[in-house]
Amino acid sequence: MNVREKLFFMALAVIILAYSAHELVIHLRPKPPSPQEIGLEWLRQEYKIPDEAYGKIARLHQDYFLRCDEMCATMKRAHRPLIQRSRNPTSREQKSAALSREKAVCENCLDNMVQHLRTVAALMPPAEGERFLADILPEVINPPELQKLRSQVTPLQ
């Protein structure tokens, strides 16, 4: 083997070793917490939730986020016809009907969220559950998106 071949194989070995070390570090390092995990930990600390209740709340949140993803997809599907119709002129009644459907989907999502928050609050110590609802519900009860839809929907005659 000549010097060039030796240098080539040494460089190749260094590259393979560096890549392997990189992959090993990536797979062995601790995974950063998800936004949901960060939120749950904040909830636990802020509202002094006991371990047993925290476990139940964590499971409820996991189930809720799956439903939430489904509701978001439904809202996107409900909104898509409005985007397409804005490019193509349609009658006022069609636009109003589409807005009404989107508003209904949004209100359903909001109802599910409020019910979830009330269920979570019921699992907390009573005083903390009341404080939780007082802190959270005003922020979610009347979202700007729903206000906008309510103002755009005109009753059909």
Side-chain angles (χ1 to χ4, degrees):
M1 229 193 265
N2 64 28
V3 174
R4 280 189 184 178
E5 288 174 339
K6 287 181 183 178
L7 284 174
F8 172 75
F9 286 118
M10 284 177 69
L12 185 61
V14 167
I15 290 170
I16 290 171
L17 183 62
Y19 179 76
S20 299
H22 174 265
E23 289 300 308
L24 186 65
V25 167
I26 293 292
H27 291 298
L28 292 180
R29 72 172 185 208
K31 301 237 186 295
S34 70
Q36 288 87 3
E37 292 168 331
I38 292 169
L40 280 171
E41 190 54 39
W42 169 83
L43 191 72
R44 170 187 245 171
Q45 291 174 4
E46 178 68 22
Y47 296 100
K48 301 166 189 73
I49 301 172
D51 290 341
E52 184 180 325
Y54 177 77
K56 290 177 183 177
I57 290 171
R59 285 188 295 279
L60 277 174
H61 266 33
Q62 188 176 23
D63 293 342
Y64 174 74
F65 283 122
L66 292 174
R67 283 195 332 268
C68 188
D69 289 344
E70 291 170 9
M71 287 184 281
C72 286
T74 302
M75 282 198 288
K76 284 180 185 176
R77 285 191 303 272
H79 187 68
R80 193 173 302 134
L82 292 174
I83 293 171
Q84 292 170 349
R85 286 189 180 105
S86 67
R87 294 182 191 137
N88 304 323
T90 59
S91 72
R92 187 176 198 174
E93 291 82 18
Q94 288 174 322
K95 184 175 181 180
S96 182
L99 283 168
S100 293
R101 283 191 300 275
E102 185 175 358
K103 177 179 160 266
V105 169
C106 192
E107 286 174 338
N108 181 45
C109 178
L110 182 62
D111 291 344
N112 278 293
M113 184 188 317
V114 169
Q115 181 59 42
H116 171 71
L117 294 173
R118 290 185 191 284
T119 304
V120 167
L123 292 171
M124 295 179 178
E128 294 297 329
E130 289 175 22
R131 184 170 73 92
F132 169 72
L133 290 176
D135 291 346
I136 300 295
L137 282 182
E139 297 292 324
V140 299
I141 204 79
N142 203 7
E145 298 85 3
L146 189 54
Q147 289 176 5
K148 183 179 176 185
L149 282 170
R150 285 177 178 151
S151 69
Q152 290 176 341
V153 173
T154 56
L156 293 176
Q157 295 161 353

